[in-house]
Amino acid sequence: MSGQQQMSATSSVTSSANEVSANRCFGGWQKRFSHQSAVLNCEMYFSVYLPPAAELGRPLPVVYWLSGLTCTDENFVTKAGAQRVASELGIMLVIPDTSPRGDAVPDADDQAYDLGLGAGFYVNATQAPWAEHYRMYDYIVDELPSLIQQQFQVQPKAAIAGHSMGGHGALMIALSNVKRFSSVSAFSPIVNPMDCPWGQKAFKHYLGNDKSEWQQYDSCELMRQQGQFLQLPMLIDQGLADDFYQHQKLAKPLEAIAQEINYPAEFRYHEGYDHSYFFISSFIEDHLRFHAKHLAEY
């Protein structure tokens, strides 16, 4: 049974969310919540932007944002500048953390930034000592959406987006759950983790040495396997001054497969832009308008 399938076969009780903070923002509310995660076996935080349209009492369209290495749920909230456009479009933003947290949660022995805390890679770990807590795939796919649906009035189908490691998460999760999402987008995504240093390090530790277990979390593998039959609108932006672009093989390997099988994905490359939130904030409006268009179809 695969790592994804194991938790899907295990039921868990969805806890309630506790509001930690609330700030008025572009007529809506930027809020932060905590809850006890049954999937990750620890307390988790997530952030939500509620647009003014939330006060109308109608189900809101939702965009999930998955952040990259070293980030928490607060980086996107404070740096991306997404709330203004989300307010205008009436979109709710949901921003989870990037890994389990807490004193009992294992971290990399050498405190490396690309493994352990802040580096969950959105997979269900199967190896010790990670397996007890690092089940981010099921947290993002099942537990957190169930909690959001319990706490808020939201539409049944959502959009998903992310950056770097979070771009990997957004693409991989969308390609694995095509019928659950309206669209997917990413900035500077790790698209082929089986064949880049970041992904190989994480997958070896979290999933073991059997590379057949890695394939279910690799966007290139997923698109090649089923992209001719199951497709989602997809937008990917990549900065050409990104220090990780070549070394981590960002964006390009997935574009090659999309072209090969005629997958409806738009890849955009930008001179002078790097891997930072300066890049994200420059084009986040495009991504939210892209998702709003497709969310409106449901």
Side-chain angles (χ1 to χ4, degrees):
M1 183 179 290
S2 73
Q4 291 181 11
Q5 292 169 334
Q6 285 177 4
M7 185 55 75
S8 299
T10 304
S11 61
S12 61
V13 178
T14 302
S15 63
S16 60
N18 303 306
E19 188 174 306
V20 175
S21 64
N23 299 93
R24 199 72 164 149
C25 186
F26 290 101
W29 289 94
Q30 182 63 60
K31 297 191 175 188
R32 195 176 192 222
F33 296 88
S34 67
H35 76 110
Q36 188 64 33
S37 169
V39 168
L40 302 178
N41 194 24
C42 66
E43 184 180 35
M44 290 294 287
Y45 287 84
F46 64 91
S47 294
V48 166
Y49 178 69
L50 290 169
E55 299 175 4
L56 300 178
R58 296 194 295 266
L60 292 170
V62 177
V63 174
Y64 285 86
W65 173 270
L66 306 186
S67 296
L69 289 165
T70 75
C71 290
T72 69
D73 59 296
E74 295 187 286
N75 295 75
F76 179 81
V77 168
T78 58
K79 295 181 178 180
Q83 293 92 341
R84 176 185 61 81
V85 182
S87 173
E88 175 194 334
L89 298 174
I91 288 175
M92 177 178 170
L93 304 174
V94 178
I95 307 99
D97 203 346
T98 55
S99 78
R101 302 279 178 174
D103 293 339
V105 176
D107 195 7
D109 291 338
D110 58 357
Q111 297 183 322
Y113 77 96
D114 54 357
L115 185 71
L117 299 182
F121 270 83
Y122 305 101
V123 303
N124 286 341
T126 58
Q127 305 299 302
W130 314 102
E132 182 180 355
H133 296 281
Y134 284 76
R135 306 190 67 82
M136 288 297 293
Y137 178 91
D138 281 321
Y139 180 70
I140 300 300
V141 172
D142 294 321
E143 187 176 33
L144 183 59
S146 294
L147 182 58
I148 295 298
Q149 291 163 9
Q150 173 185 301
Q151 298 281 134
F152 304 97
Q153 283 188 285
V154 296
Q155 295 178 0
K157 187 166 286 195
I160 190 167
H163 169 236
S164 192
M165 178 187 73
H168 144 71
L171 291 166
M172 176 269 293
I173 286 171
L175 289 167
S176 299
N177 301 272
V178 172
K179 294 182 180 180
R180 295 182 59 168
F181 295 99
S182 62
S183 49
V184 59
S185 71
F187 291 82
S188 314
I190 303 169
V191 295
N192 194 192
M194 293 182 67
D195 192 30
C196 78
W198 274 338
Q200 290 171 340
K201 177 178 179 179
F203 284 13
K204 180 179 179 180
H205 281 84
Y206 295 147
L207 305 173
N209 293 319
D210 183 357
K211 292 188 177 182
S212 67
E213 292 296 314
W214 299 9
Q215 293 178 351
Q216 63 187 312
Y217 299 113
D218 188 290
S219 294
C220 284
E221 291 290 329
L222 291 167
M223 181 178 280
R224 190 180 297 281
Q225 289 169 12
Q226 61 188 31
Q228 292 176 312
F229 312 103
L230 298 171
Q231 298 181 336
L232 274 176
M234 181 182 293
L235 172 64
I236 293 178
D237 278 323
Q238 175 65 54
L240 293 177
D242 186 333
D243 290 341
F244 304 110
Y245 174 43
Q246 299 292 343
H247 182 55
Q248 300 292 346
K249 302 182 180 180
L250 306 181
K252 273 294 184 182
L254 192 67
E255 183 183 25
I257 296 172
Q259 291 176 342
E260 178 185 325
I261 66 173
N262 294 316
Y263 198 100
E266 181 179 4
F267 289 77
R268 308 190 307 184
Y269 296 87
H270 305 272
E271 292 285 352
Y273 285 91
D274 58 18
H275 201 74
S276 72
Y277 267 89
F278 293 110
F279 175 44
I280 296 170
S281 63
S282 298
F283 298 100
I284 190 63
E285 180 169 353
D286 290 356
H287 284 240
L288 292 182
R289 293 192 183 281
F290 166 78
H291 290 303
K293 172 185 175 183
H294 295 290
L295 284 164
E297 298 173 4
Y298 297 94

